[in-house]
């Protein structure tokens, strides 16, 4: 059972709490309570072992390709969390004995996981146990653990076995060669493992300190070294009422770390430096190290905390939960790495980066921490060569980004997926070949970043090149259709993955058109304002020739228009002619994709049923291209046919519902989006949290309810506060201004925290205002947006 309202005072709306133990349902909390810092992600598995438990430690960027038949994936590194605790000869396990009390909680404010238990063993000895854990935000390589065990009935003989376990796999795939293992001074363990194909060395250090109450102990452990495993076994006699306290400090470094990833790299150097660093950290101990990390969390929250005064205080916790995960999933330390669809919280999607990253997650950073946003976009620059290779391989030019991307930018989408219920065979996954909209999504995201930050340096070094390369791809990708007298884009999958191999997916066509048009505009800007960059890129990409091609193509791209009769934009050439079925059953199901239990993918392909926002997604991304009537008509048409079978769908629907002024429906979608990871479905997050959905929660609040958008380079605010909310206060960075925006039902107040002599033009409703130090606008007086 999960509780979200058990935080008090300074921790009100900061605590996620599990109040009972179920050995069958461990996956959800392992994911939603995961710890991390963008360098690593640690699933919150329990210390003691359970069959249904999935331990996971993922280090950003360290992809390995097990063999030529599998895509690269983020390997599950050695486990340091596992402890075997034997109490008076009985292995501690909550599946046995009696649980008197149980509470596990994640504190989103400090990043600490804690578990408190009172347990009686089968032989009727009672114990109080407490486990604490954090992954440091201060030192990205550090994991800290602390365990308290108090015998409550009588004296107890306690044995704890703790080590580093490199026997972990990704669903059976062992990604590591065994490396050296050793123990220094009967205390510090050192464990090395190397990925079998990408040859990345991982090095772990770990040490224990012991106390009985406040008395330090120096026990002599039994040391065990076995295959891919190192362990220390400690024995104590603990009198009734006394507490045995263990601290375990661990560090992990890899040869991919920026500080070691250089030509003269030697494993010995990595060992020496990381051991010295470890000894220093281990000396500091859990409490001090935890405080250093908590301070960094405090600083983070000071910058990004959104305050929602709602009649349902779960709304406040929802956004904090999202922001907690958005930070720990993001490798802000290294622009060579992207964000995985499950962050660093599980094996799902193999750690790969999708459009989720640019369209759903990036805006959070663009508007709150542009430096991080820039790094995420730089990742797409580092992988540009992979995208170029894909374009050439398929007979195009420019950059054709992989649907799923890992370290190099080569295509990583697996070829085979879930079972076809009719044939019993694995279904062919076509996304890697056909889901091409990722390329314009990346261009869109970088442009939004540029407009929001005016980071010309980024454009000079990376952005312009990506924009030109993506436009060039589309200019070659389009095909002339004599009948339509237009350039078409045939044989694609749009965002709605239930429609495969369709022609003229509206989303793809409009976005590709936008991509080329934006490149044309930027070509002129670049030539005029960034002549050096222009010169360099012209030489490298033959820009003048390409510019001609873009111009020849752009106005002739087929853009499916709203039907005259009902203003519905055809999702693709055939969607509207397909039969309709009653999808109530699937819409009401608590699990996703249940339609695939009744119909094969091929059958679903031939019905008017959508997996996720597609035309509705377009209405959101290119919102100024469509009138209110068209937006309403398409919402009314497509939403009832959409199963929201991807977690990406709900937040987009929330934003568009705000745009068409349906605040109640918008709020319903927001609530549903919040339930994706925090809701009662105990299986849905097993493979990891839903990164895009969490980014979507922030977007729903900022772009939906606060109604923030950029139009013609200007900031627009059109609040659509839901009926249950009294106040929304959010920090926002825009074009160098650092603002705090407070919205109530009748007023918008903006504080400018940046010292500048130039006021910022802001549109509220349809009216223009100038922000100097402060701005207060009564909403009753403003003319509504057209
Ligand atoms: C997703 C695709 C993805 C594939 C393989 C499917 O569930 O819908 O987008 O490419 O899995 O990872
Ligand atoms: C969705 C894609 C998404 C992927 C990864 C799929 O189920 O259809 O849009 O990119 O999951 O989250």
């Amino acid at each position: 059972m999960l509780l979200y309202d058990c935080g008090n005072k300074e921790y009100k709306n900061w605590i996620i709490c599990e109040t009972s133990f179920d050995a069958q349902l461990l996956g959800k909390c392992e994911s939603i309570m995961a710890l991390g810092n963008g360098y690593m992600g640690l699933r919150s598995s329990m210390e003691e072992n359970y069959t249904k438990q999935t331990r996971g430690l993922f280090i950003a960027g360290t992809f390995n390709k097990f063999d030529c038949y599998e895509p690269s994936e983020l390997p599950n590194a050695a486990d340091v969390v596992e402890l075997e605790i034997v109490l008076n000869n009985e292995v501690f396990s909550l599946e046995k004995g009696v649980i008197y009390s149980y509470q596990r909680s994640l504190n989103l404010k400090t990043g600490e996981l804690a578990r408190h238990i009172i347990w009686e063993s089968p032989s009727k000895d009672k114990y109080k146990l407490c486990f604490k854990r954090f992954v440091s935000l201060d030192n990205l390589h550090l994991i800290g653990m602390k365990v308290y065990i108090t015998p409550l009935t009588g004296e107890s003989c306690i044995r704890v076995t703790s080590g580093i376990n490199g026997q972990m796999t990704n669903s059976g795939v062992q990604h590591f060669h065994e490396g050296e293992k050793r123990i220094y001074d009967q205390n510090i363990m050192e464990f090395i493992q190397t990925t079998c194909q990408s040859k990345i060395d991982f090095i772990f250090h770990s040490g224990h300190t012991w106390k009985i109450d406040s008395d330090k102990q120096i026990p002599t452990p039994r040391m065990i070294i076995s295959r891919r495993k190192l362990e220390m076994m400690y024995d104590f006699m603990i009198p009734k009422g006394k507490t045995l306290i263990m601290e375990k400090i661990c560090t992990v470094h890899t040869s991919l770390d920026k500080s070691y990833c250089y030509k003269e790299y030697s494993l010995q150097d990595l060992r020496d430096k990381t051991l010295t660093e470890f000894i220093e950290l281990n000396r500091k101990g859990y409490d001090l190290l935890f405080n250093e990390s908590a301070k960094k969390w405090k600083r983070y929250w000071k910058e990004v905390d959104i305050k929602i005064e709602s009649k349902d205080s779960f709304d406040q916790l929802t956004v904090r939960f999202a922001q907690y995960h958005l930070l720990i999933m993001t490798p802000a330390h290294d622009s060579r790495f992207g964000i995985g669809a499950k962050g660093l919280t599980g094996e799902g999607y193999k750690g790969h980066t999708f459009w989720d990253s640019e369209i759903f997650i990036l805006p959070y950073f663009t508007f709150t921490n542009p430096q991080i946003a820039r790094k995420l976009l730089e990742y797409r620059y580092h992988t540009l060569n992979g995208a170029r290779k894909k374009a050439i391989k398929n007979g195009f030019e420019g950059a054709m980004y992989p649907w799923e991307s890992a370290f190099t930018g080569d295509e990583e989408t697996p070829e085979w997926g879930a079972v076809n219920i009719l044939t019993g065979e694995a279904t062919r996954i076509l996304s890697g070949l056909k889901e091409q909209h990722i390329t314009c999504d990346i261009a869109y995201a970088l442009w939004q970043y540029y407009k929001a930050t005016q980071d010309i340096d980024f454009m000079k070094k990376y952005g312009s090149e990506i924009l030109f390369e993506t436009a060039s791809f589309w200019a070659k990708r389009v095909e002339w259709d004599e009948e339509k007298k237009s350039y078409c884009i045939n044989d694609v999958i749009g965002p709605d993955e239930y429609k495969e191999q369709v022609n003229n997916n509206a989303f793809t066509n409009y976005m590709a058109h936008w991509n080329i048009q934006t490149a044309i505009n930027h070509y002129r800007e670049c030539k005029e304002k960034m002549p050096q960059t222009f010169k360099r890129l012209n030489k490298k990409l033959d820009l003048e020739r390409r510019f001609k091609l873009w111009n020849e193509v752009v106005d002739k791209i087929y853009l499916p228009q709203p039907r005259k009769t009902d203003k519905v934009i055809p999702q693709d050439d055939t969607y509207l002619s397909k039969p309709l079925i009653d999808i109530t059953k699937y819409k009401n199901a608590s699990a996703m994709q249940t339609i695939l239990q009744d119909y094969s993918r091929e059958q679903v392909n031939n019905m008017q049923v959508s997996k996720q926002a597609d035309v509705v997604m377009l209405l959101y991304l290119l919102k100024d291209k469509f009138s209110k009537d068209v937006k309403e008509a398409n919402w009314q048409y497509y939403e009832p046919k959409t199963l929201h079978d991807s977690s990406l769908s709900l937040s987009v629907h929330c934003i568009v519902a705000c745009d068409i002024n349906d605040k109640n429906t918008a709020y319903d979608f927001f609530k549903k989006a919040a339930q994706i990871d925090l809701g009662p479905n105990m299986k849905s997050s097993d493979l990891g949290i839903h990164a895009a959905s969490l980014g979507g929660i922030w977007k729903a609040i900022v772009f939906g309810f606060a109604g923030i958008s950029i139009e013609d380079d200007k900031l627009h605010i059109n609040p659509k506060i839901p009926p249950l909310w009294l106040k929304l206060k959010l920090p926002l960075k825009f074009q160098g201004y650092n603002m705090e925006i407070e919205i109530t039902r009748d007023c918008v107040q903006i504080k400018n925290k940046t010292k500048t002599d130039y006021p910022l033009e802001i549109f509220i409703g349809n009216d223009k205002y100038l922000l100097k130090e402060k701005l207060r606008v009564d909403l009753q007086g403003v003319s509504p947006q057209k």
Side-chain angles (χ1 to χ4, degrees):
M1 167 85 163
L2 289 162
L3 278 188
Y4 300 120
D5 59 357
C6 51
N8 288 319
K9 294 188 188 144
E10 60 179 315
Y11 295 121
K12 189 169 164 21
N13 297 322
W14 287 101
I15 309 288
I16 295 187
C17 184
E18 181 193 49
T19 54
S20 58
F21 171 82
D22 185 337
Q24 300 303 311
L25 300 173
L26 296 168
K28 184 172 182 112
C29 288
E30 284 167 13
S31 296
I32 67 170
M33 293 192 182
L35 304 173
N37 52 26
Y39 174 85
M40 65 169 124
L42 177 62
R43 277 174 78 81
S44 285
S45 46
M46 313 247 174
E47 284 71 9
E48 68 280 10
N49 257 330
Y50 298 100
T51 333
K52 293 266 168 85
Q53 181 154 264
T54 310
R55 300 182 179 278
L57 173 64
F58 301 94
I59 313 295
T62 58
F63 286 96
N64 185 62
K65 192 176 174 76
F66 173 68
D67 68 16
C68 59
Y69 302 108
E70 306 210 20
S72 296
E73 75 180 315
L74 214 48
N76 191 3
D79 177 70
V80 293
V81 170
E82 178 184 351
L83 302 177
E84 189 189 68
I85 300 172
V86 183
L87 305 168
N88 276 343
N89 293 323
E90 268 173 313
V91 177
F92 166 64
S93 165
L94 295 171
E95 285 185 287
K96 299 185 298 190
V98 182
I99 302 170
Y100 280 87
S101 72
Y102 175 93
Q103 198 189 61
R104 177 157 66 145
S105 54
L106 171 67
N107 187 327
L108 301 169
K109 196 171 191 175
T110 63
E112 189 175 38
L113 178 77
R115 185 159 63 118
H116 297 272
I117 300 160
I118 295 184
W119 178 73
E120 188 182 77
S121 70
S123 45
K124 306 274 181 250
D125 295 328
K126 245 189 194 176
Y127 296 90
K128 186 159 102 182
L129 299 110
C130 165
F131 300 85
K132 292 185 176 178
R133 196 188 297 168
F134 72 98
V135 166
S136 176
L137 203 55
D138 183 54
N139 181 327
L140 299 183
H141 304 276
L142 176 76
I143 301 169
M145 292 167 66
K146 196 166 181 177
V147 181
Y148 306 71
I149 307 171
T150 318
L152 300 176
T153 321
E155 188 182 52
S156 181
C157 153
I158 301 182
R159 166 173 286 181
V160 178
T161 311
S162 166
I164 303 174
N165 179 3
Q167 295 174 359
M168 310 309 295
T169 68
N170 291 55
S171 301
V173 177
Q174 170 58 270
H175 281 285
F176 295 94
H177 291 302
E178 182 159 28
E180 274 183 63
K181 296 159 284 196
R182 75 172 282 186
I183 298 167
Y184 299 94
D185 303 328
Q186 295 201 4
N187 182 16
I188 295 171
M189 294 180 277
E190 183 178 86
F191 182 88
I192 298 169
Q193 50 176 191
T194 306
T195 52
C196 62
Q197 168 268 332
S198 52
K199 302 288 176 224
I200 301 169
D201 297 324
F202 284 52
I203 183 161
F204 289 81
H205 288 102
S206 178
H208 302 89
T209 45
W210 298 92
K211 276 184 192 165
I212 298 176
D213 287 344
S214 52
D215 300 335
K216 198 163 177 172
Q217 308 290 309
I218 314 225
T220 309
R222 217 180 111 193
M223 298 177 285
I224 309 156
I225 293 191
S226 43
R227 287 183 78 183
R228 289 186 166 81
K229 203 170 186 181
L230 256 179
E231 285 169 302
M232 311 276 260
M233 190 189 275
Y234 298 90
D235 287 299
F236 298 91
M237 276 309 287
I238 305 295
K240 174 180 170 184
K242 295 251 176 214
T243 303
L244 174 67
I245 304 169
M246 179 199 90
E247 288 185 13
K248 182 177 184 183
I249 304 297
C250 311
T251 55
V252 49
H253 294 79
T254 83
S255 55
L256 192 65
D257 293 354
K258 261 200 210 138
S259 16
Y260 298 102
C261 196
Y262 46 80
K263 247 199 184 144
E264 298 77 31
Y265 161 78
S266 82
L267 178 59
Q268 193 53 45
D269 181 44
L270 174 68
R271 282 176 98 150
D272 295 344
K273 288 193 178 131
T274 53
L275 177 63
T276 315
E277 189 184 321
F278 175 78
I279 292 168
E280 182 55 27
L281 291 167
N282 199 32
R283 205 181 45 76
K284 286 187 173 176
Y286 184 98
D287 295 341
L288 208 88
L289 294 170
F290 169 67
N291 283 338
E292 286 170 358
S293 172
K295 260 189 226 155
K296 288 281 157 74
W297 273 107
K298 195 170 177 187
R299 194 188 296 171
Y300 171 64
W301 287 116
K302 199 167 166 232
E303 281 190 9
V304 301
D305 194 24
I306 290 183
K307 300 225 163 52
I308 301 176
E309 275 179 36
S310 168
K311 288 185 187 146
D312 183 354
S313 62
F314 179 62
D315 295 341
Q316 176 69 75
L317 183 117
T318 299
V319 63
R320 286 183 177 150
F321 174 76
Q323 290 178 290
Y324 167 85
H325 275 286
L326 285 162
L327 184 70
I328 72 166
M329 72 174 71
T330 303
H333 61 289
D334 199 324
S335 62
R336 291 172 300 166
F337 313 145
I339 298 178
K342 304 279 180 196
L344 294 165
T345 66
E347 265 184 49
Y349 289 122
K350 301 186 165 53
H352 295 167
T353 301
F354 293 68
W355 70 317
D356 306 30
S357 182
E358 281 74 22
I359 297 297
F360 292 84
I361 299 164
L362 188 83
Y364 172 58
F365 294 106
T366 295
F367 289 96
T368 60
N369 193 331
Q371 289 89 340
I372 296 182
R374 174 170 165 148
K375 287 205 170 144
L376 291 171
L377 288 166
E378 286 176 22
Y379 164 71
R380 292 299 191 177
Y381 188 78
H382 292 302
T383 54
L384 190 54
N385 276 340
R388 285 186 175 123
K389 274 196 279 170
K390 185 173 171 183
I392 291 168
K393 191 174 158 207
N394 288 283
F396 311 117
E397 70 176 351
M400 181 183 190
Y401 274 98
W403 172 242
E404 296 186 30
S405 171
F407 185 65
T408 59
D410 293 338
E411 183 62 72
E412 301 288 0
T413 309
E415 277 184 50
W416 299 98
V419 67
N420 174 330
I421 55 129
L422 294 183
T423 64
E425 289 169 1
T427 314
R428 184 87 204 275
I429 295 172
L430 292 173
S431 300
L433 287 173
K434 311 286 178 197
E435 203 158 350
Q436 296 166 7
H437 63 85
I438 173 97
T439 293
C440 34
D441 304 332
I442 291 169
Y444 179 93
L446 82 81
W447 195 251
Q448 188 184 50
Y449 167 81
Y450 176 43
K451 294 288 122 181
T453 59
Q454 297 176 329
D455 183 352
I456 290 175
D457 181 65
F458 167 77
M459 290 309 280
K460 285 184 183 164
K461 290 190 178 130
Y462 314 109
S464 306
E465 190 168 345
I466 299 180
L467 183 63
F468 296 148
E469 286 286 66
T470 49
S472 300
F473 161 68
W474 291 114
K476 289 275 183 189
R477 173 64 180 81
V478 295
E479 299 162 59
W480 182 252
D481 183 313
E482 200 38 50
E483 211 176 296
K484 287 197 164 82
K485 296 266 179 280
S486 307
Y487 282 107
C488 291
I489 304 177
N490 295 330
D491 196 13
V492 296
I493 303 177
D496 172 10
E497 292 185 343
Y498 285 170
K499 295 290 156 282
E500 295 186 329
Q501 300 189 269
V502 293
N503 295 344
N504 297 311
N505 166 254
F507 178 91
T508 309
N509 285 29
Y510 274 90
M511 291 291 286
H513 173 267
W514 176 93
N515 194 164
I516 299 179
Q517 186 59 58
T518 308
I520 291 174
N521 301 344
H522 184 61
Y523 175 96
R524 299 193 180 105
E525 181 191 14
C526 184
K527 199 168 177 179
E528 197 186 315
K529 296 191 186 141
M530 313 167 194
Q532 292 304 325
T533 308
F534 181 83
K535 213 169 134 200
R536 180 174 58 81
L537 292 178
N538 191 21
K539 202 163 152 210
K540 186 170 175 184
L541 309 177
D542 195 5
L543 273 189
E544 280 161 2
R545 172 186 63 80
R546 290 187 181 191
F547 181 66
K548 272 192 207 133
L549 182 64
W550 302 339
N551 279 295
E552 276 163 31
V553 164
V554 73
D555 291 331
K556 298 191 200 99
I557 293 182
Y558 176 62
L559 300 177
Q561 293 303 306
R563 287 196 296 206
K564 291 233 160 57
T565 43
D566 57 5
K567 299 199 169 78
V568 171
I569 301 169
Q571 185 177 299
D572 57 58
D573 282 355
T574 48
Y575 190 99
L576 298 177
S577 59
K578 290 179 177 170
L580 288 160
I581 64 155
D582 179 6
I583 57 166
T584 324
K585 171 179 160 196
Y586 311 113
K587 255 191 173 292
N588 292 339
S590 60
M592 282 197 192
Q593 309 198 357
T594 50
I595 193 168
L596 296 176
Q597 286 160 19
D598 291 348
Y599 297 97
S600 71
R601 278 209 165 240
E602 217 177 325
Q603 288 173 314
V604 173
N605 211 22
N606 290 315
M607 305 163 175
Q608 290 198 47
V609 174
S610 295
K611 179 179 179 186
Q612 64 202 92
D614 192 304
V615 171
V616 170
M617 185 82 205
L618 176 66
L619 302 178
Y620 151 60
L621 287 186
L622 300 184
K623 69 183 281 219
D624 3 334
K625 282 216 179 324
F626 305 100
S627 69
K628 195 162 177 274
D629 289 356
V630 168
K631 285 180 189 166
E632 267 169 12
N634 283 278
W635 169 282
Q636 295 300 347
Y637 190 84
Y638 286 107
E639 196 291 317
K641 297 171 186 64
T642 304
L643 288 171
H644 308 293
D645 273 354
S646 154
S647 66
L648 277 57
S649 198
L650 300 167
S651 58
V652 179
H653 277 81
C654 171
I655 298 170
V656 177
C658 285
D659 197 15
I660 58 177
N661 224 351
D662 186 348
K663 293 183 198 170
N664 287 327
T665 306
Y667 189 60
D668 282 350
F669 274 99
F670 175 75
K671 289 300 221 190
K672 284 189 194 147
Q675 299 285 320
I676 295 228
D677 283 308
L678 294 178
N681 183 335
M682 292 302 281
K683 302 298 288 173
S684 58
S685 305
D686 283 3
L687 297 176
I689 50 82
H690 299 78
S693 164
L694 295 165
I697 286 172
W698 180 88
K699 285 176 59 171
I701 293 168
V702 175
F703 301 155
F705 299 131
I708 286 168
S709 62
I710 310 175
E711 284 163 48
D712 298 328
D713 291 8
K714 303 284 183 230
L715 189 71
H716 286 245
I717 308 181
N718 284 289
K720 304 281 162 72
I721 298 291
L724 286 192
W725 291 11
L726 304 172
K727 197 194 271 179
L728 167 64
K729 196 161 154 187
L730 56 99
L732 195 88
K733 293 199 171 133
F734 182 75
Q735 298 182 351
Y737 291 79
N738 189 359
M739 292 173 262
E740 192 178 85
I741 304 178
E742 190 180 301
I743 303 171
T744 57
R745 215 167 295 288
D746 29 51
C747 158
V748 175
Q749 293 185 73
I750 309 176
K751 235 190 250 164
N752 173 14
K753 298 201 215 153
T754 320
K755 296 229 167 337
T756 157
D757 296 334
Y758 303 99
L760 178 71
E761 261 181 33
I762 297 183
F763 286 79
I764 299 180
N766 219 22
D767 303 334
K768 186 159 90 182
Y769 298 88
L770 288 180
L771 170 68
K772 289 176 193 147
E773 277 165 21
K774 269 188 198 161
L775 177 67
R776 192 197 143 96
V777 176
D778 274 327
L779 289 173
Q780 267 171 354
V782 306
S783 41
Q785 197 196 20
K786 276 186 194 137

